[in-house]
Amino acid sequence: MHGPASPGWLLVALCAASGAYCLLRMRSGVEEQRRAAGSEALMGFAMAAMAVPAAVFTPPAWAWPCYAAVFGVAALHSLRWARTSAHHLHHSVGSAAMVYMSVVMTLSPGSPGGHHHAHGGSGTPLLTGALLLYFAGYVLLTGARLVPAVAAPAGRGGAVTAPGGGGGGTGWGDRPELARACRLSMGMAMVAMLLTL
């Protein structure tokens, strides 16, 4: 994306860390979690690559159509699984947003082979706005789900357990609060990237 270097590097770090954690989640014993983690790892690493400041690396002209093709296939694949889990529908929307950003980057004045636009932004304001609203809502909802519920003590000596606590056998890949934090990070990164269009 064509933003300043410091926020770009922060986005790269955030998305790459999210993608790396999603790779860990792919080791889960639950097939549904592995499938979701694979889609999220692809998204995280691709967003990290997109966020590299243009002053450091400008992708070749063929890179953006390749991104669009890969995420077009990913959107259709996630849509296929949307009947089993609503989260796959979110993956489809995220992949479609990546296709949209790739097309915008192809047509962007600063990208190789891109066309010059008379107006400042290259994206379609209505579509960009709709995606921004969706991902901002997703970030708020996911963030609210991370806030621990205040549980009433079960008696005088009752202890309140922290979310994810008590499951001594739970591995890093099966921690729901970490998966939500990862999704929250990628949602915020998507909002930041869409704001640059």
Side-chain angles (χ1 to χ4, degrees), residues 40-140:
E40 290 166 1
L42 173 66
M43 181 76 70
F45 289 125
M47 288 173 67
M50 279 180 117
V52 173
V56 175
F57 174 71
T58 302
W62 54 263
W64 300 118
C66 286
Y67 261 70
V70 166
F71 281 100
V73 170
L76 293 174
H77 180 72
S78 294
L79 201 55
R80 178 178 159 225
W81 293 103
R83 288 171 288 166
T84 61
S85 168
H87 191 69
H88 286 291
L89 190 57
H90 169 71
H91 288 170
S92 284
V93 173
S95 294
M98 293 292 281
V99 170
Y100 171 63
M101 288 191 293
S102 299
V103 169
V104 169
M105 293 305 292
T106 300
L107 303 175
S108 175
S111 68
H115 306 289
H116 180 72
H117 294 270
H119 306 299
S122 308
T124 306
L126 188 61
L127 185 52
T128 302
L131 288 170
L132 274 169
L133 282 175
Y134 172 81
F135 283 103
Y138 179 80
V139 164
L140 292 173

Side-chain angles (χ1 to χ4, degrees), residues 161-168 170 175 177:
T161 56
T170 304
R175 306 271 310 257
E177 72 278 8

